[in-house]
Amino acid sequence: MLLCNIDKAVALLRQAEDVLIITHVRPDGDAAGSGCALCLGLRAMGKRAFLAKNPPSMGRYEKYMTPYFAPADFVPAFVVAVDTPGPGQYPPGWESFAERTDLSIDHHGTNSGYAKATLLEGDSAAAGELVYLALEEMGVSLSPAMAEALYVALTTDTNGFRTADTTARTLYIASRLYGRGFDAAALTRSLFETKTAARLGLESFLFGSMEFPKKDICVMTLPLDAIKRCGAGENDMDKISLLTMTPEGVKYGLLLRELEDGTWKISLRTDGSVNAGSVLGTVGGGGHAAAAGAVLSGEPEAIAEAVLSALEAVL
C-alpha cells in the first residue's frame, strides 16, 4: 500500500482533470456526503468531476449523489475512491476501475491498498473528515451544499457524534460546517429522530427477537418476511444494527438481516474493546473497530454461530 498524507493527496487532486469519484456499494451518509462534497469542491476549482452512478441505499441521501452522476460518455482521466476499503465494495459495473484508481480517501483500517495512492486514517470518525481537510488545504470556500454534505457524512458515521471514534477534530470540523447556509437542526431531526411506521414496526419485531448467548452479547434476526410485513424499505433500515447495543450490559451486538436474494447481511457492533472489522474479516467482511459488516449465505443460525465463534476466538 502506497500511503500518502494530505499534502500529497492535495497535490494529486490539484493536477487531476476529468475526475470520476467512486463510492462503496449501497452508499451510506458518509460515502454520499463525502463524494458529493469532493465533487462540488473540484468543480469549484474549475475541474470536470462526476460521481460514478451508484444509487444510495437510503433515499434520504439521493440529493447528495443523483445530480452528479457521470454521463454515459464521460471518460475519466483520474479516479478517486471515497470511503471504499477494497475492490469488493465497488458498485456493480465499476469493478474494473479498481485497478485504475489513482487515489483512495478512506478511514477503514481494513483498506486493502488497491489504489495507486491512499490517504488513510483508520482512526478518523468519517471519510468526510479527510475530504474536509483536503478541500481546506486546496483553498476551496465551502458552499452551503458542500457544508451540508460533509455534515451528513460526519453525523451519520458517528451516530450523532456518539461513537467512540468521535474526536475533538471531528467536533471542530462539525463546528466549521455548522451554520453555513443549511438548517443543521432540521437535518439532525430528519436523520435521527423522525421514524416511519414501518421503522417502528421493525424495531418492535427486533426487540421481540432478541437473544443473549451470553449476558454481554445480543443477537437479533430480521427475516425478509418480517421486513415485508412491516412494509419497510431501505430507508427504514438506516443504522438499525445499533438496536443490538441498546440492552443494558451489552458489549457486542449482532444483527442478521435477510436480503432479497436469500443471503444475509451481517452487522457486528462492539463497544470498541474488540475490533469488529477483524472479527468479520475472518468470514469475508470488514469495517471498523466498533462496527463492521459482511454478506453471507446459509442458514441464519449457522451464520450466527460462525460469527460468534470468531468473536469468541478474539475474546
Side-chain angles (χ1 to χ4, degrees):
M1 179 187 298
L2 180 58
L3 293 174
C4 67
N5 57 21
I6 285 285
D7 291 340
K8 175 62 176 177
V10 165
L12 291 172
L13 291 171
R14 286 187 188 279
Q15 297 169 6
E17 298 293 342
D18 295 328
V19 181
L20 179 70
I21 300 165
I22 294 178
T23 55
H24 64 70
V25 66
R26 293 185 296 275
D28 57 5
D30 189 20
S34 298
C36 173
L38 181 59
C39 182
L40 292 176
L42 292 172
R43 289 184 179 189
M45 297 172 66
K47 300 177 182 292
R48 292 181 73 208
F50 294 99
L51 295 175
K53 188 174 183 180
N54 180 20
S57 56
M58 311 296 169
R60 67 186 62 175
Y61 304 134
E62 284 181 3
K63 75 173 191 174
Y64 304 109
M65 299 195 72
T66 304
Y68 312 108
F69 284 159
D73 60 351
F74 178 63
V75 179
F78 191 88
V79 178
V80 185
V82 176
D83 197 35
T84 305
Q89 286 76 44
Y90 271 51
W94 300 99
E95 298 91 344
S96 64
F97 282 82
E99 59 187 26
R100 295 174 50 191
T101 301
D102 298 283
L103 175 64
S104 170
I105 301 176
D106 194 19
H107 72 130
H108 293 89
T110 55
N111 189 289
S112 64
Y114 60 94
K116 297 174 185 175
T118 302
L119 174 59
L120 176 65
E121 286 191 13
D123 54 356
S124 293
E129 286 193 41
L130 302 177
V131 172
Y132 171 87
L133 295 173
L135 294 177
E136 182 182 53
E137 185 69 20
M138 290 189 291
V140 174
S141 179
L142 295 182
S143 67
M146 291 182 222
E148 179 179 338
L150 287 173
Y151 196 78
V152 166
L154 266 61
T155 54
T156 55
D157 245 31
T158 61
N159 191 32
F161 307 111
R162 288 178 287 182
T163 56
D165 54 6
T166 302
T167 64
R169 187 181 76 176
T170 311
L171 298 175
Y172 168 77
I173 293 174
S175 74
R176 301 291 294 171
L177 302 172
Y178 201 92
R180 283 183 174 260
F182 69 97
D183 190 336
L187 180 62
T188 300
R189 283 195 301 273
S190 70
L191 290 173
F192 297 104
E193 297 175 12
T194 304
K195 297 182 180 181
T196 64
R199 170 61 179 239
L200 293 172
L202 290 176
E203 293 189 7
S204 176
F205 178 87
L206 283 172
F207 283 128
S209 79
M210 288 187 300
E211 296 180 356
F212 298 91
K214 292 188 176 181
K215 64 180 181 180
D216 57 356
I217 298 176
C218 177
V219 179
M220 295 182 180
T221 304
L222 185 57
L224 189 59
D225 62 344
I227 296 172
K228 291 184 175 180
R229 283 200 306 272
C230 293
E234 283 298 325
N235 260 334
D236 303 303
M237 305 290 179
D238 199 14
K239 306 293 183 185
I240 201 165
S241 62
L242 285 169
L243 297 179
T244 61
M245 298 295 287
T246 302
E248 184 177 6
V250 168
K251 296 181 180 180
Y252 318 105
L254 178 63
L255 174 67
L256 296 87
R257 172 163 72 95
E258 188 177 12
L259 302 178
E260 287 283 352
D261 62 0
T263 60
W264 291 82
K265 182 177 181 181
I266 312 305
S267 299
L268 178 64
R269 297 271 178 174
T270 77
D271 63 354
S273 59
V274 168
N275 191 304
S278 296
V279 173
L280 287 192
T282 64
V283 294
H288 304 287
V295 176
L296 301 173
S297 299
E299 294 300 317
E301 296 83 2
I303 293 173
E305 183 178 349
V307 173
L308 293 177
S309 295
L311 174 62
E312 186 68 28
V314 173
L315 291 174

